[in-house]
């Protein structure tokens, strides 16, 4: 679909695509949460999206997320932090985020601990590329990290998250994420969410059980400073 189409049209097209994929997978579209990733776009776009009924927004860099959350604090929005997170930013992210999708190591789990704060939803990010370093935990560490989140005050384990690696059919990668999700749920049955699927691969993610879709460019159009 053209990124020149008006925003309401792009949003409607993606939502129709999500509903179609859900039906193809024999799933209820109502059980899916579509998060609009607004990175590189101004707060004015967030306002336009909110006026269209969007409540779940995603960002991948702390400073940008913090600024946008502050500029739109009058709206009732849920901010999802989806990017790599330095431990020294963890406490600041807690102040505006509804969920962090990119929890992938002990030091970050410990930094997110907050005995007296309202619980923050966290997803364990799993690396599906087999090439660690770009974010995401080794799938073999999933249970151990899940236990650590379960033992940490102020955070609530809600599920797993991943980005499909380049150079592989996304559905095969998402199938591995689903297997990790099943293992995590043997420890934490309530952690049944799967954050997977972006503009180019959300239909594959839905076929493999994704519950939270993180969609950027298909809805927002081209990112301004990417040309
Ligand atoms: C940017 C981003 C997205 C959205 O990507 P699009 O391809 O623009 O839909 C999803 N997840 C993460 C972690 C991102 O950084």
């Amino acid at each position: 679909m053209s990124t020149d189409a008006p925003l309401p049209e792009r949003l409607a097209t993606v939502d129709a695509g999500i509903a179609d994929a859900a039906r193809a997978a024999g799933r209820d579209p109502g059980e899916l949460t579509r998060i609009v990733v607004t990175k590189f776009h101004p707060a004015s776009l967030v306002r336009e999206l909110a006026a269209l009924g969007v409540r779940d927004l995603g960002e991948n860099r702390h400073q940008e997320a913090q600024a946008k959350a502050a500029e739109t604090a009058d709206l009732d929005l849920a901010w999802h932090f989806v990017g790599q997170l330095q431990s020294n930013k963890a406490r600041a992210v807690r102040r505006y985020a509804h969920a962090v999708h990119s929890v992938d190591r002990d030091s970050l789990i410990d930094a997110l601990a907050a005995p007296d704060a309202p619980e923050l939803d966290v997803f364990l990010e799993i690396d599906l590329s087999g090439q660690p370093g770009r974010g995401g935990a080794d799938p073999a560490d999933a249970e151990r990290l899940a236990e650590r989140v379960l033992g940490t005050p102020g955070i609530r384990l809600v599920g797993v998250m991943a980005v499909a690696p380049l150079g592989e059919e996304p559905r095969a990668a998402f199938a591995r994420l689903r297997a990790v999700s099943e293992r995590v749920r043997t420890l934490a049955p309530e952690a049944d969410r799967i954050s997977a699927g972006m503009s180019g691969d959300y239909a594959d993610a839905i076929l493999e059980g994704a519950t939270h879709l993180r969609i950027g460019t298909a809805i927002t159009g081209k990112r301004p400073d990417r040309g």
Side-chain angles (χ1 to χ4, degrees):
M1 149 133 204
S2 165
T3 53
D4 300 331
L7 186 66
E9 214 172 287
R10 291 196 302 262
L11 181 66
T13 299
V14 168
D15 284 349
I18 290 171
D20 285 349
R23 280 188 288 270
R27 300 178 58 198
D28 174 4
E31 73 188 32
L32 304 179
T33 300
R34 176 255 299 121
I35 298 162
V36 183
V37 180
T38 49
K39 65 191 183 202
F40 306 113
H41 288 278
S44 56
L45 183 87
V46 175
R47 287 194 179 277
E48 286 179 60
L49 287 163
L52 295 169
V54 172
R55 284 292 167 267
D56 291 279
L57 281 307
E59 286 286 334
N60 73 337
R61 294 188 302 191
H62 163 59
Q63 278 186 324
E64 186 179 342
Q66 184 178 46
K68 255 177 254 183
E71 284 172 72
T72 57
D74 56 309
L75 305 173
D76 183 25
L77 302 176
W79 288 96
H80 297 254
F81 192 87
V82 303
Q84 278 188 272
L85 179 55
Q86 292 170 262
S87 298
N88 63 4
K89 307 271 168 64
R91 296 196 77 78
V93 168
R94 277 199 74 104
R95 285 188 213 115
Y96 59 83
H98 159 78
V100 174
H101 290 233
S102 45
V103 172
D104 61 357
R105 61 195 189 281
D106 293 340
S107 57
L108 180 56
I109 294 169
D110 297 350
L112 285 167
D116 302 319
E119 278 201 322
L120 173 75
D121 288 354
V122 305
F123 294 76
L124 285 181
E125 182 179 355
I126 305 299
D127 168 58
L128 299 176
S129 73
Q131 292 162 346
R134 302 235 32 202
D138 187 324
D141 285 340
E143 284 99 331
R144 193 184 60 72
L145 290 168
E147 299 266 26
R148 196 173 185 105
V149 173
L150 294 172
T152 301
I155 54 178
R156 181 168 82 107
L157 182 65
V158 296
V160 296
M161 176 274 210
V163 176
L166 295 173
E168 183 188 358
E169 205 279 297
R171 184 154 180 197
F174 293 139
R176 296 202 295 284
L177 181 64
R178 177 183 236 168
V180 173
S181 167
E182 281 163 13
R183 280 167 32 214
V184 166
R185 277 182 283 148
T186 62
L187 296 169
E190 67 287 358
D192 59 357
R193 301 182 190 172
I194 299 179
S195 168
M198 312 190 347
S199 292
D201 57 21
Y202 66 80
D204 288 309
I206 290 168
L207 286 168
E208 293 300 337
T211 62
H212 287 61
L213 315 161
R214 309 178 312 270
I215 314 236
T217 45
I219 294 171
T220 63
K222 252 199 259 175
R223 292 174 190 127
D225 59 339
R226 290 239 164 138

